[in-house]
Structure formats: structure tokens, C-alpha cells
């Protein structure tokens, strides 16, 4: 059985991350603290060999990829932009805590979108299509090991939604420059849109990270679990129709 390994890595921190702001589509670069932290973190770490590096189109993801894998060219995956936080972009929890729309979104981000932003279902559907784009490119070019540098919340969503073994979203958190290796097969992906989570990378393990952007509440995270089957069914059907149309 043919297998394909994708090594998911979380991008480094930005100035807005340090300030506790919601960071979505804004194209912040890594801050100097983030660059220094990544360079220190990768010392003496054993990063897996890869044949290609894919990234979110965000500058912070490309910059992280170049620190983890110096000298490699990166390839953007347009569908893997961070969530569109709409009018919450760049704001802190203190600035939003009394906003009625924010309170509703925090309680159920799957069905509620920030003003001018996207809801959780649209985000997850887009992420599944983005991962499918990566996998299809790997199969077409006979690549069996690739890196994918994306936002941490996107990694957590992918693994909670499609990964085995199953764990709640919050248990998949990882440090900047770290992540997980997933193993995909054409049969499982085409049929069920699932993959195996093989291991945590690099081997040093999970580290606490206090510099991430604020996340939706626990209630919103629970809503993700309730939406898993529906979204996977929708995306499975959408990806299949897309492949049929392009063939």
C-alpha cells in the first residue's frame, strides 16, 4: 500500500501574537523574538527529510519554513490561509469581551461568523480542500514525504477533525516550529477523508506556548466535534465532484 507522509509544522510567533491579538488574514512577519526562538528551538533537533515544502501563503509561514529547512523553495497552498476573523482581526480579548457578536461567536463559532468574517464550517471545508490539494500534488509527482507549515489552530483543527487516534482539539496543541507527522493513503483519504497521526515532531515533544493568539471558548471547541461528520461528508462529496470535473 502506498503511503504519504506530511509533516505539519506550526509557524513562529509575530508581534501581534505576543500582544494577544486575533491574527488571521493579516500578513504579519515573524517578530525578532519569534525568529530567535525558532533558531534556538531547532538546534540539535532532528527534523525529517522532505522532498517538498508547502506553506500557507502567509509570510509568517514561509519565514518559518526557511528557518526549519534552509535553502528549500516553498510552495503556497491558497486554501490554507488562516481563519478570517473579520472585524475581530487585530483586537484583543479585552477589546472584544463586551461585544455581543463576539460573545455569540465564542459560544458557537461553527454557526456564527465574526462580522465580515467566516464561520467554522466554511473554515474547515476550506482546510480540507487545501489538504486535499497538497495530497493530490504529492501523488501526481510521486512525492512521499513533504512538510506543510501552517497556523497552529489549523493543525489542531485538522487533527481533531480527520486524525486517528481521536483526541479533542485542545490536546493537539504544539509549539512554534513543532508539529505532527501524518500518514495518508489514497484509499482512506478518498473514501473517508481521514489519516493516521504517526508521531509528534521533532522528537523533543510538546512545549507550553503562551504566545498564541486567543482561541474560541471550550464551548466552541465542543461544537467542532459535533460538526465533524457533517463537514467531512460535505467535503468528501465536494472533493470528489472537483476531481471528476477536472478529469
Amino acid at each position: 500500500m502506498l503511503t504519504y507522509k506530511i509533516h505539519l509544522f506550526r509557524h513562529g510567533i509575530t508581534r501581534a501574537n505576543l500582544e494577544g491579538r486575533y491574527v488571521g488574514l493579516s500578513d504579519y512577519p515573524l517578530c525578532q523574538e519569534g525568529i530567535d526562538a525558532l533558531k534556538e528551538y531547532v538546534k540539535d533537533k532532528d527534523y525529517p527529510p522532505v522532498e517538498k515544502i508547502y506553506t500557507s501563503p502567509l509570510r509568517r509561514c514561509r519565514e518559518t519554513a526557511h528557518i526549519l529547512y534552509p535553502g528549500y523553495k516553498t510552495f503556497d497552498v491558497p486554501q490554507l490561509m488562516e481563519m478570517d476573523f473579520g472585524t475581530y482581526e487585530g483586537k484583543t480579548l479585552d477589546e472584544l469581551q463586551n461585544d455581543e457578536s463576539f460573545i455569540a461567536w465564542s459560544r458557537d463559532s461553527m454557526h456564527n461568523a465574526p462580522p465580515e468574517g467566516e464561520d467554522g464550517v466554511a473554515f474547515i471545508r476550506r482546510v480540507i480542500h487545501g489538504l486535499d490539494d497538497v495530497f493530490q500534488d504529492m501523488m501526481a509527482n510521486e512525492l512521499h514525504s513533504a512538510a506543510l507549515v501552517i497556523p497552529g489552530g489549523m493543525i489542531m483543527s485538522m487533527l481533531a477533525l480527520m486524525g486517528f487516534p481521536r483526541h479533542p482539539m485542545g490536546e493537539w496543541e504544539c509549539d512554534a516550529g513543532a508539529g505532527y507527522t501524518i500518514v495518508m493513503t489514497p484509499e482512506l483519504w478518498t473514501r473517508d477523508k481521514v489519516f493516521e497521526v504517526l508521531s509528534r515532531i521533532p522528537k523533543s515533544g510538546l512545549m507550553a506556548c503562551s504566545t498564541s493568539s486567543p482561541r474560541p471558548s471550550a464551548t466552541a471547541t465542543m461544537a467542532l466535534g459535533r460538526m465533524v461528520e457533517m463537514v467531512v461528508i460535505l467535503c468528501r462529496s465536494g472533493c470528489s465532484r472537483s476531481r471528476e470535473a477536472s478529469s
Side-chain angles (χ1 to χ4, degrees), residues 209-228:
C209 183
S210 59
T211 55
S212 60
S213 297
R215 297 286 173 202
S217 67
T219 305
T221 301
M222 290 173 62
L224 173 66
R226 292 196 297 268
M227 296 296 292
V228 166

Side-chain angles (χ1 to χ4, degrees), residues 15 42 63 78 197 221 224 231:
R15 176 58 52 191
V42 301
E63 291 176 345
V197 183
T221 301
L224 173 66
V231 175

Side-chain angles (χ1 to χ4, degrees), residues 30-49:
L30 298 178
C31 61
Q32 190 59 50
E33 293 93 330
I35 293 170
D36 293 343
L38 276 176
K39 288 182 176 179
E40 182 63 29
Y41 184 72
V42 301
K43 287 181 180 178
D44 303 318
K45 298 289 194 308
D46 187 17
Y47 280 81

Side-chain angles (χ1 to χ4, degrees), residues 134-153:
V134 170
F135 190 37
Q136 296 298 330
D137 184 73
M138 290 180 68
M139 289 192 293
N141 291 285
E142 299 182 352
L143 306 174
H144 292 275
S145 180
L148 176 57
V149 183
I150 52 178

